[in-house]
Amino acid sequence: MNRKRTDWNRLLISACAIATLALVLFSVPACKKKPTVEPIDPPVEEETGVSVDLTTVPYTKLSDYRFFEGEMKNQVPAEKVIPYQPASGLFTDYAHKKRFIWMPNGTQATYNGDHNVLELPVGAALIKTFYYDNVQPAGNTRIIETRIMIRKSSGWVFANYVWNTEQTEAYLDMNGSYTNVSWLENGVPKSTAYRIPNQTECHTCHKLNDEPIPIGIKPQNLNIDYTYEDGTQNQLQKLVAVGYLQNNLPGNIVSTVNYMDQTKSVDQRFRSYVDINCAHCHAENKHCSYRPMRLAFSETSDPINLGLCVEPEEVIDAAYVYIIKPNDKNRSMMHYRLGSVEPSERMPLLGRTIVHEEGLQLLEEWIAWKQTCN
Amino acid sequence: MKINFTLFLLMGMPLLSHAQNTCATALPVTAGTYVVTAVDGTEAPTLACALNGLTNVTAGEWYTYTPSANYTVTITTDLAASAGADTRFHVYSGTCGSLVCVSGDDDGGSGLTSLASFNVTAGTTYTIAFDNRWSASGFSFELTESPIVVPPTPPITFTANTFPAISGNYGLATTDMNGDHLDDIVTVSASSVQILYQQISGAYVTNNIPTSTTMFQPSWSMAIGDIDKNGFNDMLYGGGSGVTFMKANATGTGYTEISGTEYVFCQRTNFVDINNDGNLDAFSCHDVDPNVYYINDGSGNLTYHQGGLGDHPEGGNYGSIWMDYDNDGDQDLFIAKCRGGASTAKINELHRNDGAGVFTDVSISSNMADPIQTWSSAWNDFNNDGWMDALIGASSTDDGPHKLMKNNGNGTFSDVTAGSGWDTNPSLNIEHVSFDFDNDGFTDVLGGGNKIMFGNGDMTFFPMVYPFTNGAVGDLNNDGFLDIRNGNTVYMSDKNSNNWITINLQGIESNSNGIGARVEIYGSWGKQIRDIRSGDGFRYMNTLNAHFGLGTATVIDSMFIKWPSGHIDQINNPTINEPITVVEGSHPLSLLEVDGKKIALYPNPTTDYLTVENFDLLDASSIEIYSQLGGRVMNTEMKDAKISLTGLTSGRYFLVIHTKNGEKYSESFIKM
């Protein structure tokens, strides 16, 4: 059944491609000159620009949104589709990511605190593409999926698009699946049975109480420069400049850093890392808020919220006496869990099946740096 | 380096010792405080008398202590001078090279310091060794002598027994796999199943069975039961993204994988006959969606269902337990639930089985709709009044602590936590499971803090700390006392003088394992009850045999097995202190009589033929014979009262007569 549908979609794509080619060759006005050929049909105008029709989204194909210009796999954003990148990113088995934001004409987001998600207007879309470079054996780039969150008047909805082998289109698939990927990470061969999440898995992380919400798009994460097509600019300023963000930001924004940025303190780097990787569950009103950790950047200036010298409630082994023991990774539960790939013990539980070596190393640096319980 | 202690004593300073490097050169100490500058002695302890093994132990500091009188001695590093230290010590008797553990501790003091008290005998030399398991840094320790305090005698003790043969990733089960009712040790890996078969001799025979690389592994939980009634148990792996069934072949020597295509974030899994058709179905808690279950068509084909058994759209389902709380003979479902924030997914649920696959959510009316953040609950009749009570075990105190709920016998439960011992037990855990570990006739709970909370039979409990943590519970030496598995170590019960009985079930019309059966024993204590459960606590798979402790009682007046089929077997005066296997229908509640004439089998035991006395009084449609393992060995429409047993090997069998009006009569016999 699904197979047939895919084939049908492929036919449609081919048809669309031919139609598009024809339009390019003969230009739109050329079509308009022949209204009498099919007098019953209303005149068809080639639509341009992004399309997010809240009454019909999520569309069956990623291309239907027209978020990208040219070949879609190049991920060149259309006009008003603005790329962004949080200071620190979520680790998902070393997948690379491209993120974009789009809002309907005349709408804008509002600031709601440094560490809260921007209040995005109805109609806004967040687009995040997951891909790998140096995919073996050919060394090519492979786009796996593009996840979209759309703000409807009733709240956020998820739409996940899985890319085809030809990398020409991505199709809506909310059922989740696995795909094997092997690639070189800094020259080191790695592989994973990559998990494309289903609707429920999306929701497990993207929620506040039971309501779906975005995670990364917070002022604290965007208060760094990004290199746009037209130059480098602070990302919040850029959003203001394009009219996407109300221009009432405070002068000082308590901000996360890039956890790989060696010029920052290990404390800032580690706290930024756990914010983006852990705080979607370990914060108030989140999936695991019954556990003692509070791992949002705004809360970890008090290290007790990181679990420093806090006894774990779930015992895996008597060796792990504290969630983090100062200067002793061997007695730190967090170190065990970040280094585990066992599905019931690893942290995060979702989105990771292999160990993030750099993240684990950062934790070790922080543990070595933190010499006392205070 | 030798220190002149007298000099230090005279100077009123604490003793500074550069502790000795080996057992042979251990430094004698008496009561007092000593400074250890570093743990760097060349001889490392090789026998751990404290938690956390011998990994990274490369150095030791050795002392001897010979008391002049009998004392209760306390050794502690929990001193101001040891602030921030992470110490560990062992106390031995015996001589170097043949030391025996007396005491020891790792983290019993404040912070990560160590503290242990133990009784010593005048004139005996004890060896004290500190090690560098966690740190080689210096610290101080104090040895104090006090008048002898006799510690409370533990109701039961355990001895660690290592099974070097055990290997594999998931050591979750201590369950009989081959139908001999002796609990086996099951360890599962991605592409193999290892079973250590317990023999009647007490020995184990190891079988490593290669399997396909399973799509899901039991990373969250495991359940065991015989879904196709072939006499060999099958397995259910509860994975983070789905369910895998492993079906045993006809000889138990291989397993066929059947993995569901559905996304299931499994938590506790169970085998249970949900629709009471005689075939085991499967259930899995779903962390983030409504619960799922798989209905068995009788041929071992399992059909996926979702809905009707815990339907909160956000899930929150962690610990499912199937038991009969209303004593109506069918299996009800309690779900221990957990979820952060304001979500209502954390509210526990009780679903009453109304028969015929109909369930009613009675969480609120029963007083069980509690928001406690719990991953498991322990159900047993803690006060022997004939009704299943519940300990709702907190995994976090965010939404309330442990709660002990007494079954009122009228469909409701009352909170009796205050004064029960659970109100003062600070140990949280994801595992809570109830058995009678000391066979005193009162059920206990194994929960957090390496503690067994021993039941007093009156809804009160007292704690006793052990060196093991939660694990599969079974009788791994068939002595009637329950043992606890931690990986490849079994904490084997040392037994006590209490009497016991173990009841092994063989279902015929009901599922083979008798899962869902209610077992009752009556005697001087009144009444005791058990439910047979596949999937208890959070993660593990325990014995499927019913274990009862009798305390000092020596007689069981009567015993009843209430099978899921509705059959009831009654055995009067069963022999105690040994296991008994009950085949479904083999001891009918009242011997069948028609018109005052008894239907019976003779001769029994027999050799070649079996005759059914007064057979003509039955309007029989067919006769079946089952082996003790549950396999059907004969099915005949022959109406003759005389049945040839040619071809049957020696053993115990079970004969079922079906009548034309749908009745079923059964009796066991032995072929010589």
Side-chain angles (χ1 to χ4, degrees), chain A residues 175 178 195 198-201 203-204 207 209-212 281 283-292 294 311-322 325-326 328 330-331 337 341-347 349-350, chain B residues 51-52 56 84-87 106-107 110-112 133-135 170 215-216 218-220 240-241 263 265 286-289 312 314 318 338-345 373 375 395-399 428-430 450 469 539:
Chain A
N175 295 321
Y178 294 93
R195 174 70 184 175
N198 64 21
Q199 166 102 18
T200 297
E201 288 169 289
H203 181 66
T204 301
K207 69 185 174 191
N209 289 320
D210 295 340
E211 295 304 313
C281 277
E284 284 300 326
N285 296 316
K286 297 303 187 80
H287 196 81
C288 278
S289 62
Y290 57 88
R291 294 298 184 215
R294 290 292 178 270
E311 290 180 20
E313 290 177 340
E314 184 185 344
V315 175
I316 288 178
D317 189 303
Y320 310 119
V321 280
Y322 294 139
K325 186 192 166 198
D328 194 350
N330 295 328
R331 305 213 77 182
R337 285 187 180 268
V341 294
E342 164 55 38
S344 64
E345 295 179 347
R346 71 189 178 207
M347 284 293 157
L349 284 180
L350 302 187
Chain B
L51 283 177
N52 294 321
N56 294 335
D86 189 353
T87 57
D106 190 344
D107 299 320
S110 66
L112 302 177
R133 173 70 182 89
W134 305 114
S135 168
Y170 297 97
M215 183 176 283
F216 306 108
S219 50
W220 287 96
S241 304
Y263 170 77
F265 190 163
H286 200 316
D287 191 333
V288 290
D289 272 332
H312 196 292
E314 300 282 335
Y318 284 67
C338 184
R339 181 57 40 85
S343 174
T344 53
Q373 301 286 353
W375 288 33
S395 163
S396 150
T397 53
D398 258 25
D399 289 275
L428 306 172
N429 211 24
I430 63 172
N450 296 2
T469 183
R539 189 186 304 283

Side-chain angles (χ1 to χ4, degrees), chain A residues 95-109:
Chain A
H96 298 177
K97 295 158 193 177
K98 286 187 172 148
R99 304 169 186 82
F100 308 91
I101 182 171
W102 178 86
M103 294 180 206
N105 256 337
T107 66
Q108 61 178 195

Side-chain angles (χ1 to χ4, degrees), chain B residues 9 125 203 251 253 274 294 310 352 355 385 402 445 571 577 605 644 649:
Chain B
L9 279 172
T125 295
T251 52
T253 52
I274 294 172
Y294 297 80
R352 187 184 65 213
D385 65 353
H402 302 302
V445 177
I571 297 170
N577 295 337
S644 167
T649 54

Side-chain angles (χ1 to χ4, degrees), chain B residues 251-532:
Chain B
T251 52
T253 52
Y255 290 88
T256 303
E257 173 188 2
I258 307 164
S259 288
T261 53
E262 302 81 14
Y263 170 77
V264 185
F265 190 163
C266 293
Q267 298 289 306
R268 173 77 258 174
T269 50
N270 318 83
F271 277 121
V272 54
D273 185 358
I274 294 172
N275 56 3
N276 204 24
D277 65 353
N279 302 306
L280 279 182
D281 310 305
F283 178 89
S284 178
C285 276
H286 200 316
D287 191 333
V288 290
D289 272 332
N291 290 319
V292 305
Y293 51 101
Y294 297 80
I295 296 295
N296 183 349
D297 67 356
S299 304
N301 300 310
L302 296 149
T303 306
Y304 172 84
H305 292 269
Q306 185 174 37
L309 294 171
D311 289 341
H312 196 292
E314 300 282 335
N317 309 291
Y318 284 67
S320 47
I321 189 161
W322 291 82
M323 44 75 220
D324 184 6
Y325 84 93
D326 55 358
N327 289 355
D328 65 352
D330 53 32
Q331 294 289 286
D332 311 301
L333 167 64
F334 180 78
I335 311 166
K337 302 197 70 181
C338 184
R339 181 57 40 85
S343 174
T344 53
K346 65 186 161 195
I347 297 173
N348 298 331
E349 295 177 24
L350 179 62
H351 295 264
R352 187 184 65 213
N353 189 340
D354 295 328
V358 176
F359 287 80
T360 304
D361 186 339
V362 293
S363 313
I364 293 171
S365 62
S366 64
N367 196 28
M368 294 298 269
D370 207 297
I372 297 173
Q373 301 286 353
T374 171
W375 288 33
S376 62
S377 59
W379 287 74
N380 245 329
D381 180 8
F382 298 129
N383 58 353
N384 287 344
D385 65 353
W387 299 91
M388 285 286 166
D389 309 302
L391 179 277
I392 314 301
S395 163
S396 150
T397 53
D398 258 25
D399 289 275
H402 302 302
K403 217 163 166 180
L404 183 65
M405 303 299 285
K406 177 180 172 293
N407 190 331
N408 298 318
N410 61 0
T412 70
F413 292 79
S414 294
D415 181 355
V416 295
T417 315
S420 68
W422 285 98
D423 48 346
T424 51
N425 176 16
S427 301
L428 306 172
N429 211 24
I430 63 172
E431 291 279 358
H432 296 86
V433 70
S434 177
F435 289 96
D436 184 355
F437 290 100
D438 58 347
N439 280 346
D440 66 347
F442 305 126
T443 45
D444 316 311
V445 177
L446 176 59
N450 296 2
K451 266 179 246 178
I452 294 176
M453 292 289 280
F454 284 97
N456 295 311
D458 58 357
M459 303 305 285
T460 69
F461 295 79
F462 66 94
M464 196 61 65
V465 175
Y466 289 97
F468 49 80
T469 183
N470 285 85
V473 177
D475 186 354
L476 296 171
N477 55 1
N478 200 32
D479 65 353
F481 285 77
L482 289 166
D483 314 306
I484 295 146
R485 176 184 182 187
N486 280 187
N488 65 355
T489 299
V490 172
Y491 287 86
M492 210 67 93
S493 173
D494 295 328
K495 304 181 65 171
N496 58 24
S497 61
N498 286 333
N499 295 316
W500 55 273
I501 189 166
T502 300
I503 297 145
N504 308 325
L505 299 187
Q506 179 60 58
I508 299 293
E509 187 177 335
S510 304
N511 67 83
S512 316
N513 309 98
I515 292 164
R518 165 64 59 86
V519 184
E520 303 176 351
I521 61 169
Y522 293 83
S524 56
W525 58 86
K527 181 179 186 181
Q528 281 197 64
I529 61 173
R530 297 283 188 276
D531 287 325
I532 307 300

